[in-house]
């Protein structure tokens, strides 16, 4: 079993095992206290999570701010922690995400009696209690489980090596891609997150097989010990501290030129012209009364999905960035729409996919309706909404 998480808590004394037994008392979970030292094992859905109290001699986890991601408050809480609990699991299997989520549910349950900060040892991330709640309740977001790291290896326009940390908790190698420029970073993040998601669900491409991305571009994955032999101008000590085995993304011919591969991903981050956003906002506001009227009389069995778009603030690296996000409308309140985010924010996990949010009607800048998963075109949408207009 592998130690994947450590919970750094504020209470020096561990909770009573009898209290934990009651907390884990469900038909789906088997709670087994350890004999001798404090600790327990949780078995559920064919997975097993082992929890042990780390001896004080091991000290607190080393969580340097240069390596780990987390809030300043989370770093401070780890530094002041009085006890640490290790969570061990067996990575991989037919459903690699299953043991990870069983571990996170176990963490969440223990956190209710021993508050603290969760340290992801594989991804170099700190999670506070509210983070763990969101991760376990909302849609899967690979960004909660991996960390992408960019390192400058050489001189020139494309000196960057971007690689992941955290995939080993899913029983997979981390992934890497070489020869990137600053302008490639957002596109590379999007591509690698997509790839890591597939690998986490054991649906990744086979080694050395030519595969296509969701955007239609082709690539191949080869073991890093094979791919790095083709790198030119990279000193041997560049990989110090990264001696583990990776999966390297290369072109179908085995080259480290990925400009064409990332081209379509760059389009996702093209800024929408302000004039276009303003025009869409005006059109959405004009159609909104009919849209909301049709939404409110939607039948229970009607295969219609009502979507609205609105601006949300995110704060990557302390900066304020406004992202337009789509949400599926689930209710209407006075002057606002309550919905479930269809996609999470691109730059951060502040707005996670699946989260329930509320937006003011005056902020809505685009509308869409889907029938049985197919988005209606403009003429179909207007035809449907015209029926809501008074004669």
């Amino acid at each position: 079993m592998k130690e994947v998480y450590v919970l750094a808590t504020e209470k020096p004394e561990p909770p009573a095992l009898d209290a934990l037994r009651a907390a884990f008392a469900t038909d789906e979970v088997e709670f087994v206290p350890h004999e001798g030292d404090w600790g327990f094992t949780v078995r559920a859905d064919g997975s097993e999570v082992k929890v042990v109290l780390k001896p004080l001699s091991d000290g607190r986890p080393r969580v340097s701010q240069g390596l780990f991601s987390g809030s300043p408050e989370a770093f401070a809480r780890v530094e002041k922690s009085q006890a640490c609990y290790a969570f061990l699991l067996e990575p991989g299997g037919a459903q690699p995400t299953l043991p990870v989520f069983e571990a996170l549910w176990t963490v969440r349950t223990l956190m209710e009696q021993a508050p603290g900060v969760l340290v992801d040892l594989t991804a170099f991330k700190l999670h506070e209690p509210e983070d763990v709640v969101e991760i376990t309740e909302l849609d899967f977001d690979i960004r909660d489980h991996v960390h992408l790291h960019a390192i400058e290896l050489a001189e020139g326009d494309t000196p960057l090596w971007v690689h992941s940390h955290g995939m080993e908790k899913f029983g997979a190698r981390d992934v890497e891609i070489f020869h990137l420029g600053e302008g490639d970073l957002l596109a590379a993040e999007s591509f690698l997150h997509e790839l890591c998601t597939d690998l986490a669900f054991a649906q990744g491409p086979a080694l050395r097989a030519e595969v296509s991305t969701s955007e239609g571009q082709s690539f191949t994955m080869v073991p890093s010990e094979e791919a790095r032999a083709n790198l030119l101008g990279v000193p041997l000590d560049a990989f110090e501290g990264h001696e583990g085995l990776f999966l390297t993304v290369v072109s179908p011919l085995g080259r480290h030129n990925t400009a064409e591969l990332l081209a379509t991903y760059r389009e996702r981050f093209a800024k929408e012209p302000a004039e276009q956003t303003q025009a869409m906002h005006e059109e959405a506001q004009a159609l909104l009364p009919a849209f909301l009227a049709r939404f409110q009389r939607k039948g229970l069995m009607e295969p219609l999905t009502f979507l609205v778009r609105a601006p949300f603030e995110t704060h990557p690296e302390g900066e304020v960035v406004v992202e337009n996000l789509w949400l599926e409308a689930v209710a209407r309140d006075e002057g606002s729409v309550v919905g479930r985010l269809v996609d999470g924010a691109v730059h951060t996990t502040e707005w996670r996919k699946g989260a329930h949010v509320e937006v003011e009607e005056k902020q809505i800048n685009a509308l869409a309706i889907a029938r049985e998963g197919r988005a209606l075109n403009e003429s179909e949408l207007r035809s449907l909404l015209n029926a809501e207009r008074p004669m």
Side-chain angles (χ1 to χ4, degrees):
M1 301 184 81
K2 180 176 181 58
E3 182 177 331
V4 171
Y5 298 112
V6 170
L7 176 59
T9 70
E10 301 154 10
K11 294 184 177 181
E13 297 298 327
L17 289 175
D18 286 343
L20 287 172
R21 186 196 301 274
F24 284 99
T26 69
D27 293 337
E28 294 81 18
V29 173
E30 180 184 4
F31 178 85
V32 182
H34 297 165
E35 294 184 4
D37 295 335
W38 187 97
F40 60 91
T41 295
V42 173
R43 300 190 181 103
D45 294 327
S47 65
E48 184 173 286
V49 180
K50 184 178 180 181
V51 183
V52 297
L53 177 63
K54 294 175 73 71
L56 291 176
S57 58
D58 284 359
R60 304 181 184 95
R62 296 179 179 178
V63 291
S64 67
Q65 296 195 29
L67 184 60
F68 280 75
S69 63
S71 68
E73 294 78 13
F75 282 100
R77 292 179 70 182
V78 172
E79 290 301 317
K80 295 177 182 178
S81 61
Q82 300 297 310
C84 294
Y85 303 84
F87 293 76
L88 296 89
L89 56 88
E90 195 64 51
Q95 300 181 57
T97 58
L98 185 58
V100 172
F101 270 85
E102 289 300 338
L104 289 169
W105 274 105
T106 304
V107 169
R108 178 175 171 176
T109 304
L110 181 56
M111 270 184 162
E112 292 172 357
Q113 301 190 39
V117 173
L118 181 65
V119 182
D120 185 334
L121 300 175
T122 66
F124 308 124
K125 286 179 174 288
L126 304 185
H127 296 293
E128 296 184 82
E130 56 270 25
D131 296 327
V132 178
V133 171
E134 288 192 345
I135 293 170
T136 51
E137 290 189 350
L138 300 182
D139 292 350
F140 181 88
D141 189 333
I142 193 65
R143 295 176 298 177
D144 293 319
H145 306 281
V146 301
H147 173 67
L148 295 185
H149 192 193
I151 294 179
E152 187 172 322
L153 291 183
E155 297 180 353
D157 296 332
T158 56
L160 299 175
W161 164 44
V162 179
H163 57 278
S164 69
H165 291 289
M167 289 304 298
E168 57 186 302
K169 73 167 71 70
F170 299 108
R173 290 189 181 193
D174 279 298
V175 297
E176 64 181 6
I177 190 168
F178 292 93
H179 293 320
L180 300 180
E182 288 287 342
D184 297 319
L185 286 179
L186 289 177
E189 283 184 12
S190 184
F191 166 70
L192 291 177
H193 283 144
E194 189 176 281
L195 177 58
C196 286
T197 299
D198 287 344
L199 291 169
F201 282 92
Q203 297 172 354
L207 287 179
R208 303 180 184 86
E210 181 176 343
V211 293
S212 297
T213 71
S214 63
E215 304 289 347
Q217 303 299 322
S218 297
F219 71 98
T220 303
M221 289 200 312
V222 296
S224 58
E225 58 270 32
E226 175 183 326
R228 290 180 182 180
N230 298 327
L231 283 171
L232 299 176
V234 177
L236 294 177
D237 60 357
F239 301 111
E240 185 176 347
H242 296 81
E243 290 83 4
L245 300 178
F246 289 74
L247 293 173
T248 310
V249 176
V250 295
S251 74
L253 297 177
R255 297 172 181 170
H256 291 282
N257 182 359
T258 55
E260 183 179 347
L261 169 65
L262 298 178
T264 50
Y265 285 88
R266 294 189 192 94
E267 297 173 4
R268 298 182 182 181
F269 301 96
K271 190 172 182 179
E272 185 175 276
E275 298 81 3
Q276 180 180 342
T277 303
Q278 180 62 29
M280 292 174 66
H281 180 260
E282 292 173 0
E283 182 178 11
Q285 291 295 307
L287 293 173
L288 191 58
F291 178 92
L292 293 175
R294 184 63 181 86
F295 165 70
Q296 288 186 296
R297 73 175 188 85
K298 173 180 175 290
L300 290 176
M301 302 302 292
E302 277 190 297
L304 294 177
T305 303
F306 291 76
L307 303 156
V308 300
R309 194 186 78 163
F312 290 80
E313 275 193 7
T314 61
H315 305 84
E317 299 181 355
E319 298 181 4
V320 177
V321 175
V322 176
E323 296 186 42
N324 285 307
L325 303 179
W326 287 93
L327 55 141
E328 178 185 347
V330 296
R332 185 186 183 189
D333 203 353
E334 293 185 10
S336 64
V337 172
V338 179
R340 176 178 175 274
L341 286 176
V342 176
D343 287 305
V346 171
H347 298 285
T348 72
T349 55
E350 291 171 89
W351 301 103
R352 286 186 169 94
K353 180 181 179 181
H356 280 76
V357 296
E358 183 174 351
V359 298
E360 295 182 16
E361 291 178 7
K362 63 183 180 182
Q363 295 294 317
I364 293 173
N365 57 31
L367 304 171
I369 298 177
R371 178 182 284 115
E372 296 182 333
R374 183 187 71 83
L376 302 184
N377 61 37
E378 185 175 352
S379 62
E380 291 172 324
L381 179 82
R382 288 182 176 275
S383 176
L384 181 68
L385 296 185
N386 280 337
E388 302 303 319
R389 297 182 183 277
M391 300 297 292

